[in-house]
Amino acid sequence: TVIVNSTMTGNTGFAGGGVWNGGSTSLEILDSTIAGNTATFTAAGGGIGNSLSKPDVTVTNTIVADNTPDNCGTNNLAPVTDGGHNLENGTSCAFASNAVNAEPALGGLANNGGPTSTRAITSSSPAFGKGDPTVCAAAPPDGAGGVDQRGDARKTATCDIGAFEVA
């Protein structure tokens, strides 16, 4: 299963507020924004929860921030796999490969153009220009297909982390 160019925000779930992997297949999350979600289970992943008995969740070019009680589950849950170029405002996801640890400076969920609402960043966001351009350009399911969630073109040399690309 692959999630590409998606915004998960304002959701509540038991062990994975934004994303819960309790299925039988691996999950990849690419060029997405997972922010402002809540898990009701103590020390679960407000952003991402991955069952111990399930395959990996690999996260690439994604913002995982401002989730409660933490961004990625740490209590009796499997860790996520770092695909690189992620932004987290914490340490529960343990991103390391070209990772950014900072507040993403996300706007609220709004109609920023395109068919669905997004959480915009600006050029002053730490996510600006920090994505992996190879992943941004690759065709799905291996990348974002050269566009963001709105269908707007991603920059070819230095794309942004998350579902929203600054024009």
Side-chain angles (χ1 to χ4, degrees), residues 2 5 19 41 112 133 138 144:
V2 180
N5 283 334
V19 176
F41 180 61
N112 294 301

Side-chain angles (χ1 to χ4, degrees), residues 66-116:
D66 301 322
N67 297 290
T68 305
D70 59 19
N71 291 316
C72 295
T74 57
N75 185 19
N76 295 319
L77 296 174
V80 299
T81 300
D82 180 13
H85 297 270
N86 296 299
L87 183 149
E88 179 186 14
N89 66 335
T91 59
S92 63
C93 296
F95 296 139
S97 177
N98 296 298
V100 177
N101 189 323
E103 284 295 327
L106 291 168
L109 188 65
N111 180 352
N112 294 301
T116 57

